[in-house]
Amino acid sequence: MDSRALRGTFLNFFSDKGHLVWKSSSLIPANDPTILFTNAGMNQFKNFFLGVDEPPRRAICSCQKCLRISGKHNDLENIGFTRRHHTFFEMLGNFSFGDYFKKEAISFAWEFVTEQLKIDPALIWVTFYKEDNETKTLWKSVTNLPESKIIPMGSDDNFWSMGDTGPCGPC
């Protein structure tokens, strides 16, 4: 599957689950003086998360163009040394603004990778934030993965934040 097919499969899957497909924003944010470039898939939804604007639908999916050149992720130091650090990439995302939470997100993820992408469940391992036992339990119940393939990780690897203050939470 090439990138175009993957992108389309992802957006179609979540559209079929009731998500509004949202167009990628510009790499240069139009109305956000807090960032120079769009560096994450959630940037375009910041006002929804902050409660400034009401989302047109409570479930949205997108394929957002992103550029990372410095900052908390230290991307410049990792580019070329890992398979997951790039300066320009597209971030696929499904977002819920009060429509669903962990159980449904895990169910969607599992269905997408095992049924849409046809990835053999025997090859899949998942991680969760080490203090989030609810998520561990949900991964086990939704997927029937053995506990040995559901790995706890700490803040360095499984806790997302936008700097010292702002939105954050377990991955």
Side-chain angles (χ1 to χ4, degrees):
M1 180 180 287
D2 65 15
S3 60
R4 180 173 293 155
L6 176 61
R7 188 181 310 116
T9 300
F10 180 88
L11 295 174
N12 288 334
F13 173 82
F14 281 99
S15 177
D16 289 346
K17 300 290 184 190
H19 290 66
L20 174 66
V21 177
W22 198 272
K23 184 180 175 191
S24 180
S25 296
S26 169
L27 282 175
I28 301 170
N31 297 312
D32 188 347
T34 67
I35 54 175
L36 186 57
F37 298 109
T38 298
N39 64 352
M42 62 76 60
N43 288 160
Q44 60 188 341
F45 306 119
K46 192 156 74 169
N47 283 344
F48 300 156
F49 286 116
L50 294 173
V52 173
D53 294 327
E54 186 72 26
R57 195 174 302 168
R58 292 176 52 180
I60 297 174
C61 65
S62 67
C63 178
Q64 174 60 50
K65 296 176 185 96
C66 298
L67 181 69
R68 289 189 182 159
I69 55 173
S70 65
K72 83 166 193 76
H73 295 286
N74 299 315
D75 292 315
L76 284 178
E77 294 152 5
N78 293 316
I79 292 166
F81 295 100
T82 74
R83 299 176 97 189
R84 66 184 184 103
H85 288 90
H86 308 282
T87 52
F88 174 76
F89 56 95
E90 292 177 308
M91 188 175 285
L92 297 170
N94 58 297
F95 302 89
S96 172
F97 303 99
D99 189 53
Y100 60 87
F101 198 46
K102 294 177 188 182
K103 183 176 184 179
E104 296 84 356
I106 290 169
S107 295
F108 290 155
W110 188 254
E111 181 181 348
F112 180 71
V113 298
T114 60
E115 295 179 26
Q116 297 294 307
L117 301 182
K118 308 274 190 240
I119 296 175
D120 181 354
L123 300 175
I124 299 174
W125 293 64
V126 298
T127 64
F128 68 97
Y129 183 61
K130 67 181 181 179
E131 296 173 16
D132 187 0
N133 289 318
E134 177 188 12
T135 295
K136 176 184 178 180
T137 300
L138 286 169
W139 271 111
K140 189 171 181 180
S141 68
V142 168
T143 67
N144 290 319
L145 280 172
E147 198 164 322
S148 62
K149 294 183 105 182
I150 304 171
I151 309 299
M153 299 189 86
S155 296
D156 288 345
D157 296 305
N158 246 31
F159 194 87
W160 179 85
S161 65
M162 281 190 69
D164 294 334
T165 61
C168 64
C171 298

